[in-house]
Amino acid sequence: MPTPRVILSEAMALEVGGKEPWPSDVKLYQPYEVEQILLPDNANCLATQAFLKMSKLQYTVEPRSNAEFMSPSGKVPFIQCGAFVVSELEPIVSFVASKGVSLTNDLDNGEKADMRAYMSLISNVLATAELFITWCDAQTYKQVTKPRYGSVFPWPLNHLLCWQKRSSVTKRLHVLGWANKTLDDVFHEVDQCCQALSERLGPKNYFFGDKPTELDALVFGHLFTVLTTPLPNNKLAATIRGYRTLVDLCKRIEHEYFELPTST
Amino acid sequence: MSPSSMEVDVWAGKWDLPSVDQQCLQIMAYAKFCGAPIKVNVTNNPFWSPSGSLPVFRNGKDKITSFQSMVSYLDSKKYSADLKLTPLQKSECFAINKLLEGKLHPAILYTWWVDETNYIELTRPWYASVLPLPFNYYYPGRYERDAKVYIETMFLEDEDQSVIETHLLSDAEKCLTSLSVRLGDENYFFGKSPTSLDAIVYSYLAPLVKVPFQQCALQNHLKACPNLMAFVSRISRGYFPLVSDATKNINLEKVKEIELRNKRLRNAFSFLFALASMTGFALYNNIYQDARLSRRFATKLERIKDRWRGSPVSPDFFAPSFEEE
């Protein structure tokens, strides 16, 4: 691309992004879904896709084997919109909001605060649990993570990069106090998280009434990915299946936003 | 086990705070809210703690360091501040707790330990002054390293310091705004009486209000939320009324006592060290050879040295030019 790219922090995105409408050639970069992507990345990519679909914004998915290394924050997914590159769900949400598109216009301030709290519940508990199972559970690491993560790199690199990624994830889990947890502790945390979510959802269609918000997108991204990813230890999915209303929410969002136009 | 044997070891308080540490404040405030008779020991010594940091909650042989496990432990002993909460409120409490952990905690860590001005002027001196002697050289550095690793793992490897700071602060400010909106005009988060959520929020906000940081943008943001400021002073006044007196009299006395003891220890150590090095120096340079009083000792030393050299022992030990002969 000849145009210079600008890497945007959230605050800057709010200032400069507002001038132009949403272009039609927005690209969403993510790793290859079939052979490469891992559980935590897949959850984040799906959540972002769900958010864009709920906002009725056009985008095309660009699978890249090195998407992680292209992203300005080192995390997938990221979107390229005109001259701007924005990564991760929260900055993307505020970037989209700067274009005048928002799913939360009908919410009052209290509800918005509430939504922020539940979103950080997901990214603190569920996302950390996904990282733990993917990288710290020996069986999953050997059978799933290592072959998949290394699949796109040639021989010495596949081992090296995998080892490097694993040590950085372990470091993160260590400072969060998760390193000494057992699998059962992790499942217990996930159970508490789902309990809290299902209490909040209640009998409603979406978390805040009849219209979906980015919280619904985030919940869908994580829960749907966990439910549909085959792992050697599938107790994580079993924990989530215990909450009927949450599973129904996932089905509803999938049916509403992902089934009709299958070719994205 | 009688409930009265429940104790908690904490960091000392200063600046009108019951304790300067967030984790300690959280446990102390919750103990007050649920009315559990817990004895608070200001130990300032994390050496015996299984997690390497304070607080440590003890009841007989049980040792607990995390807040959540302490809440459930107290629950099992029939002390709880959350009895009246509905499941939905409990879920909200859990979510807000995670919001604080994810957004406010990193910024507070940054303010205490990573921001260089605060660390050098405020954090390290305080921890060094309250920790007992050998530990004051170890723990401040260790906590600083831990905090730095925590912040590092959130960002790419060589991210610019100013980018990190802006990101952390803007997240934390949004979080404070959310809290302020959520609290509204209420006294406490769930109505008239405080719950575990109030203990958690208080523990995060009180140090931000009271500690005289050199650099803290968050402090200014917090001062712009009058309801949060009122919330903090309400709990301080209502549940820790003696703190301002206590920190002045009892606590300060105790801290002073510890400081005095440390000072004495330090003096004794430096005296012994100086004495030892002077004696060593003197022995090494044979100064005692000339000293009449220690003649016997010097002869012995000389004999040992001669044996070492392999030369015969001189009959006149004090002949100065023995080797030249």
Side-chain angles (χ1 to χ4, degrees):
Chain A
M1 297 272 156
T3 46
R5 306 276 174 72
V6 187
I7 292 167
L8 281 187
S9 76
E10 210 176 322
M12 263 173 77
L14 287 175
E15 281 166 24
V16 282
K19 274 97 191 170
E20 299 157 26
W22 191 257
S24 56
D25 62 340
V26 173
K27 290 187 185 121
L28 182 132
Y29 291 87
Q30 64 170 58
Y32 282 100
E33 247 172 42
V34 181
E35 58 274 63
Q36 186 196 8
I37 204 166
L38 298 173
L39 180 62
D41 292 342
N42 199 1
N44 288 326
C45 295
L46 193 63
T48 310
Q49 289 196 31
F51 169 73
L52 291 175
K53 279 182 189 281
M54 285 171 183
S55 316
K56 302 193 176 61
L57 296 169
Q58 274 197 337
Y59 66 94
T60 46
V61 177
E62 284 271 323
R64 289 288 165 90
S65 60
N66 60 345
E68 184 188 342
F69 303 101
M70 291 164 71
S71 160
S73 70
K75 287 175 190 140
V76 288
F78 64 100
I79 57 166
Q80 186 212 333
C81 172
F84 301 119
V85 180
V86 192
S87 73
E88 293 180 80
L89 181 62
E90 266 182 68
I92 289 177
V93 169
S94 25
F95 180 74
V96 167
S98 74
K99 302 263 182 207
V101 181
S102 168
L103 296 173
T104 54
N105 283 335
D106 300 337
L107 303 188
D108 61 34
N109 281 339
E111 287 175 320
K112 276 184 193 161
D114 218 23
M115 187 186 75
R116 216 165 283 144
Y118 280 93
M119 282 178 82
S120 63
L121 172 68
I122 306 257
S123 43
N124 275 359
V125 181
L126 214 49
T128 319
E130 286 162 9
L131 279 177
F132 185 94
I133 288 178
T134 313
W135 295 98
C136 293
D137 175 41
Q139 202 189 6
T140 313
Y141 177 72
K142 210 172 140 202
Q143 292 181 10
V144 180
T145 312
K146 208 168 170 215
R148 282 181 74 92
Y149 192 81
S151 65
V152 291
F153 305 112
W155 167 65
L157 268 185
N158 56 1
H159 293 288
L160 279 177
L161 289 176
C162 197
W163 171 80
Q164 194 187 24
K165 176 80 180 170
R166 190 188 195 189
S167 65
S168 80
V169 172
T170 327
K171 208 170 156 192
R172 178 78 193 139
L173 290 175
H174 190 82
V175 294
L176 288 176
W178 280 59
N180 299 323
K181 286 194 177 177
T182 61
L183 270 182
D184 284 334
D185 292 341
V186 172
F187 294 139
H188 178 69
E189 292 269 346
V190 171
D191 191 51
Q192 271 189 315
C193 172
C194 291
Q195 172 90 42
L197 285 174
S198 76
E199 287 294 346
R200 183 68 188 79
L201 181 62
K204 295 190 291 283
N205 269 355
Y206 296 106
F207 278 91
F208 296 95
D210 284 334
K211 279 191 199 159
T213 58
E214 50 255 35
L215 175 61
D216 298 281
L218 190 64
V219 171
F220 168 74
H222 283 271
L223 296 190
F224 190 82
T225 313
V226 173
L227 288 173
T228 53
T229 308
L231 288 179
N233 188 338
N234 64 358
K235 231 189 131 196
L236 193 61
T239 311
I240 293 172
R241 267 197 203 100
Y243 295 90
R244 266 290 14 117
T245 46
L246 295 178
V247 178
D248 287 344
L249 174 78
C250 289
K251 282 184 186 156
R252 193 174 307 129
I253 294 178
E254 194 211 3
H255 178 72
E256 191 101 335
Y257 296 97
F258 282 84
E259 268 179 2
L260 301 173
T262 32
S263 55
T264 43
Chain B
M1 240 179 292
S2 72
S4 57
S5 64
M6 291 190 287
E7 292 181 32
V8 61
D9 297 347
V10 296
W11 291 106
K14 209 187 173 183
W15 305 295
D16 287 355
L17 287 166
S19 166
V20 299
D21 182 72
Q22 182 257 322
Q23 301 270 334
C24 296
L25 267 180
Q26 194 168 304
I27 283 191
M28 289 162 82
Y30 187 74
K32 293 265 180 194
F33 293 166
C34 67
I38 299 180
K39 194 171 160 246
V40 175
N41 305 321
V42 180
T43 59
N44 291 324
N45 185 353
F47 186 69
W48 304 110
S49 157
S51 66
S53 64
L54 294 175
V56 185
F57 174 80
R58 281 180 292 134
N59 189 3
K61 277 181 189 161
D62 303 340
K63 275 188 180 180
I64 297 175
T65 52
S66 95
F67 181 65
Q68 286 309 330
S69 8
M70 192 205 70
V71 170
S72 26
Y73 186 88
L74 285 179
D75 209 26
S76 72
K77 295 266 181 269
K78 305 275 176 277
Y79 292 106
S80 175
D82 297 349
L83 283 177
K84 284 180 195 154
L85 296 187
T86 62
L88 178 61
Q89 285 173 326
K90 274 190 186 156
S91 129
E92 204 186 343
C93 176
F94 189 55
I96 296 181
N97 184 12
K98 292 295 167 192
L99 175 75
L100 291 166
E101 237 172 64
K103 305 282 181 189
L104 195 56
H105 178 65
I108 288 180
L109 264 189
Y110 185 90
T111 312
W112 276 98
W113 299 99
V114 185
D115 184 292
E116 223 156 276
T117 328
N118 287 339
Y119 176 63
I120 290 170
E121 304 266 322
L122 189 126
T123 315
R124 197 174 54 184
W126 187 81
Y127 275 92
S129 72
V130 296
L131 274 159
L133 182 72
F135 304 123
N136 56 357
Y137 293 106
Y138 172 64
Y139 281 104
R142 182 189 147 175
Y143 293 151
E144 185 209 4
R145 273 196 303 282
D146 287 353
K148 279 192 171 155
V149 171
Y150 189 102
I151 304 294
E152 267 168 30
T153 54
M154 292 175 69
F155 296 91
L156 279 179
E157 249 170 48
D158 27 73
E159 191 68 272
D160 195 45
Q161 191 79 9
S162 63
V163 175
I164 292 179
E165 196 179 326
T166 330
H167 184 100
L168 289 177
L169 287 182
S170 82
D171 270 0
E173 279 174 11
K174 266 186 235 159
C175 173
L176 286 179
T177 316
S178 294
L179 277 182
S180 170
V181 168
R182 173 64 188 77
L183 182 63
D185 301 328
E186 296 282 328
N187 274 359
Y188 299 105
F189 277 86
F190 300 109
K192 294 266 181 285
S193 56
T195 59
S196 64
L197 180 63
D198 297 283
I200 296 165
V201 175
Y202 173 76
S203 73
Y204 279 102
L205 298 187
L208 276 182
V209 176
K210 306 268 171 99
V211 178
F213 289 112
Q214 304 273 323
Q215 296 216 349
C216 190
L218 271 186
Q219 217 159 22
N220 299 332
H221 189 85
L222 183 58
K223 277 176 189 150
C225 308
N227 59 348
L228 292 180
M229 296 294 282
F231 172 79
V232 170
S233 62
R234 186 175 308 128
I235 292 182
S236 293
R237 255 187 291 116
Y239 290 90
F240 299 101
L242 294 172
V243 162
S244 41
D245 306 335
T247 43
K248 265 168 209 148
N249 303 323
I250 307 159
N251 265 12
L252 261 196
E253 245 166 48
K254 201 164 181 191
V255 168
K256 258 186 197 155
E257 203 176 282
I258 293 169
E259 269 172 19
L260 199 70
R261 206 185 59 206
N262 281 349
K263 206 176 169 188
R264 271 197 214 126
L265 259 174
R266 224 168 283 168
N267 284 346
F269 263 104
S270 43
F271 179 74
L272 278 178
F273 180 77
L275 196 71
S277 47
M278 274 157 66
T279 322
F281 179 79
L283 285 176
Y284 187 76
N285 287 310
N286 295 343
I287 289 174
Y288 286 111
Q289 272 189 5
D290 301 329
R292 287 248 147 204
L293 271 176
S294 53
R295 183 173 289 176
R296 279 173 70 88
F297 183 67
T299 49
K300 239 183 213 166
L301 193 77
E302 195 63 22
R303 215 176 276 156
I304 292 166
K305 274 192 178 172
D306 286 337
R307 205 171 297 148
W308 179 249
R309 286 195 205 105
S311 54
V313 179
S314 155
D316 183 4
F317 297 124
F318 300 105
S321 54
F322 163 64
E323 272 170 67
E324 286 158 22
E325 271 169 31

